[in-house]
Amino acid sequence: MENFVFSMLWYWIAYFLVTSTGILHTIFNIVVLHMKSMKDSPGMGEAYEKTKPWHFLYNIILFPICSFLYFRGLETVTFDHVIATSIIWGSITVVFDLIGWVLIKHPWSLTFKEFYIDYQPWITLVYITIYASPLIAYWIMNLC
């Protein structure tokens, strides 16, 4: 895979932007829309729960943009490279989410059931989107 470090840079930029957008959306719901936070309601709180349908949209916008920018920085982009990027980015997300949102306990951590069962269909759509993002970017590049 050409320039793995560059690939990881764009991947982590996308992951950070998506996560930050979700956090900011939750804060917006609490501060501006006066929804209940996690300390005022069960689970992650009403403010977070209302952001779930949007998570897919954050990902379908930001990950293809970062994929596109990554590919634009390469001399050549082959379909094999796109597939490798898809597998690597998607798989890293699945593993990192398990570790960062389920296994490591923190105020925003979730149980396995909360993350993989209660978060349906959103988590599945998010993962499909991340796996598909390099393909979407490649398709856009070939249209231009």
Side-chain angles (χ1 to χ4, degrees):
M1 180 173 203
E2 186 178 332
N3 205 337
F4 183 74
V5 172
F6 193 48
S7 169
M8 289 297 90
L9 173 66
W10 282 111
Y11 168 80
W12 287 111
I13 288 171
Y15 194 94
F16 174 79
L17 289 173
V18 165
T19 303
S20 298
T21 302
I23 291 168
L24 291 171
H25 189 174
T26 302
I27 292 168
F28 174 86
N29 285 352
I30 294 167
V31 174
V32 176
L33 301 179
H34 307 291
M35 291 182 188
K36 293 180 180 176
S37 69
M38 61 191 286
K39 62 183 171 181
D40 300 323
S41 59
M44 293 296 288
E46 175 192 22
Y48 169 76
E49 292 297 323
K50 295 292 186 180
T51 68
K52 284 181 177 181
W54 295 89
H55 296 180
F56 163 75
L57 295 174
Y58 311 152
N59 283 277
I60 198 69
I61 293 167
L62 295 169
F63 266 93
I65 289 171
C66 288
S67 297
F68 181 86
L69 293 171
Y70 164 57
F71 292 144
R72 292 286 276 196
L74 303 176
E75 284 188 36
T76 58
V77 180
T78 65
F79 190 69
D80 288 343
H81 186 93
V82 172
I83 295 298
T85 302
S86 169
I87 292 168
I88 291 168
W89 285 22
S91 299
I92 287 172
T93 303
V94 170
V95 171
F96 189 75
D97 281 355
L98 173 64
I99 294 168
W101 295 108
V102 178
L103 298 179
I104 296 174
K105 300 303 175 198
H106 52 81
W108 289 3
S109 65
L110 300 165
T111 66
F112 189 86
K113 180 185 177 292
E114 289 170 329
F115 197 77
Y116 294 104
I117 307 298
D118 298 343
Y119 189 20
Q120 292 297 338
W122 313 117
I123 191 63
T124 298
L125 291 172
V126 164
Y127 288 155
I128 290 169
T129 299
I130 293 170
Y131 276 106
S133 291
L135 298 164
I136 294 167
Y138 185 69
W139 176 70
I140 291 169
M141 289 177 74
N142 287 320
L143 286 178
C144 300

